[in-house]
Amino acid sequence: MTSSATTRTEPDLSFLLDHTSHVLRTQMAAALSEIGLTARMHCVLVHALEDERTQARLAEIGDMDKTTMVVTVDALEKAGLAERRTSARDRRARIIAVTEKGAQVAAQSQAIADRVHEEALGALPEAEREALLRALNLLAEGHLATPAESPRPARRARRES
Amino acid sequence: MTSSATTRTEPDLSFLLDHTSHVLRTQMAAALSEIGLTARMHCVLVHALEDERTQARLAEIGDMDKTTMVVTVDALEKAGLAERRTSARDRRARIIAVTEKGAQVAAQSQAIADRVHEEALGALPEAEREALLRALNLLAEGHLATPAESPRPARRARRES
DNA sequence: TATTGTTATACTCTATAACTATA
DNA sequence: TATAGTTATAGAGTATAACAATA
């Protein structure tokens, strides 16, 4: 579901943020899927291209769990866009090396991502556009910087086998 | 994960919307959990209180699947906040009737939701606050009104048993 | 025949735990 | 001992299908 799961009696920030982020995410996913990428694959590809980075570092940048990163790198390798290389400095770590094809795809995916963002922002008058980005940046760096503690109980330990 | 799973090379609307909506959602969930509600329970409770509504109608308002609504109404009934009543007009349908206790809780949960929103918006200067709401409303009603088609293949049919 | 709500269950996503290999 | 990455799998969330009651 789209998750507007809060009321709408007045200026409902929850609804607005949930809805716009959800729709933008579907647009991004649809656009990237045309070249066979997920948003996560795009994210890892671009940041692996910028610098020699390990899976752990890339997971940190993209705010993914390391196990999610395994799946993402598997997909990139399978598509021939990146390769795991044992780090010379720390033989436990894997550097994600982007292939030539991967670099080409990364350029395409970055262009796609930029286009999707420009189309959304372009739908706003110049003044609102800047104000939106300024306000969201303020929130993201301030009051909405870090997630609240989850009210849900921690997951139970695995059953004895 | 927090899902900033797109790059951050420039003004990254995806990251900003995903991040702020995620954090606000955790704040809302944490705040509502103090009175034993989820965001969905709050949403259903408030809209059931406004008018005589069936599960199907409430599901539509909250953008939930009807099977998700079953679970949500089960929780509300179990907590003594609402009851299912067979509609007199259409005996297939169930009107969600809010109990007295449910009405009290709805007032509390609405106050909590308002507070969470006010705290976030209050962290912004007056001018940015209005601009943010204006810009988000424009997007939500315009370019980011409806989700793009899912690029994922439809779910396979259930296996023969 | 179509629709409301229910049950059962399948699929996706994400995270925890345990493991291997290094450090 | 601790960390990088892997595997297996648990749990949450959600959606599909089939069904009963009613329209």
Side-chain angles (χ1 to χ4, degrees):
Chain A
M1 67 146 201
T2 313
S3 147
S4 69
T6 31
T7 184
R8 212 165 307 175
T9 338
E10 349 100 51
D12 186 341
L13 190 61
S14 293
F15 169 74
L16 289 171
L17 289 177
D18 282 353
H19 183 80
T20 53
S21 73
H22 171 71
V23 174
L24 185 60
R25 189 193 292 250
T26 66
Q27 291 184 356
M28 187 66 78
L32 288 174
S33 80
E34 282 168 29
I35 56 170
L37 291 194
T38 62
R40 272 205 270 266
M41 287 166 78
H42 161 65
C43 180
V44 170
L45 208 54
V46 166
H47 289 105
L49 198 53
E50 288 170 359
D51 202 352
E52 279 214 344
R53 285 176 171 144
T54 64
Q55 285 190 205
R57 178 71 187 116
L58 290 167
E60 190 190 344
I61 291 173
D63 196 14
M64 290 174 232
D65 192 86
K66 63 180 181 175
T67 60
T68 305
M69 179 59 62
V70 170
V71 179
T72 306
V73 174
D74 285 351
L76 289 173
E77 276 201 323
K78 198 174 167 190
L81 305 178
E83 291 167 8
R84 287 172 166 96
R85 294 202 189 139
T86 300
S87 167
R89 266 179 284 170
D90 183 343
R91 290 162 50 89
R92 291 172 303 181
R94 306 275 176 273
I95 301 290
I96 302 308
V98 177
T99 65
E100 203 164 315
K101 184 180 169 196
Q104 288 169 8
V105 170
Q108 287 179 62
S109 68
Q110 188 59 60
I112 288 172
D114 289 347
R115 194 196 72 215
V116 170
H117 286 159
E118 278 162 20
E119 282 173 1
L121 291 170
L124 293 175
E126 174 74 16
E128 327 290 297
R129 194 183 317 165
E130 286 178 14
L132 173 69
L133 291 171
R134 203 163 44 235
L136 287 176
N137 268 303
L138 278 172
L139 286 176
E141 285 167 18
H143 188 74
L144 299 181
T146 37
E149 289 301 304
S150 169
R152 277 173 295 193
R155 186 177 297 184
R156 274 156 274 165
R158 196 193 289 195
R159 257 181 320 192
E160 295 288 320
S161 61
Chain B
M1 66 145 201
T2 311
S3 148
S4 69
T6 31
T7 182
R8 212 164 307 176
T9 337
E10 348 100 51
D12 187 340
L13 190 60
S14 293
F15 169 75
L16 289 170
L17 289 177
D18 282 353
H19 182 80
T20 53
S21 72
H22 170 71
V23 174
L24 185 60
R25 186 193 293 251
T26 65
Q27 291 183 356
M28 188 64 78
L32 288 174
S33 78
E34 282 168 28
I35 56 171
L37 291 193
T38 61
R40 271 204 272 265
M41 288 164 78
H42 162 66
C43 179
V44 170
L45 208 53
V46 167
H47 290 105
L49 198 54
E50 288 171 358
D51 201 353
E52 279 214 346
R53 286 176 170 144
T54 65
Q55 285 190 205
R57 178 69 186 118
L58 290 166
E60 190 190 344
I61 291 174
D63 196 16
M64 292 174 230
D65 192 86
K66 62 179 179 174
T67 59
T68 305
M69 179 58 62
V70 170
V71 178
T72 305
V73 175
D74 284 351
L76 288 172
E77 275 202 324
K78 198 174 165 189
L81 305 178
E83 290 167 9
R84 288 172 167 95
R85 294 202 187 136
T86 300
S87 167
R89 265 178 286 170
D90 183 343
R91 291 162 51 88
R92 293 171 303 180
R94 305 276 176 271
I95 301 288
I96 303 308
V98 177
T99 65
E100 205 164 314
K101 183 181 169 196
Q104 289 168 9
V105 169
Q108 287 179 62
S109 68
Q110 188 58 60
I112 288 173
D114 289 346
R115 194 196 71 216
V116 169
H117 287 159
E118 277 162 21
E119 281 173 1
L121 290 170
L124 292 175
E126 174 74 16
E128 327 290 298
R129 194 182 318 164
E130 286 178 15
L132 173 69
L133 291 171
R134 205 163 42 235
L136 287 176
N137 268 305
L138 278 171
L139 287 176
E141 284 166 18
H143 188 74
L144 299 181
T146 37
E149 289 302 304
S150 168
R152 277 174 295 192
R155 185 178 299 184
R156 276 157 272 163
R158 197 193 290 193
R159 257 181 320 191
E160 295 288 322
S161 61

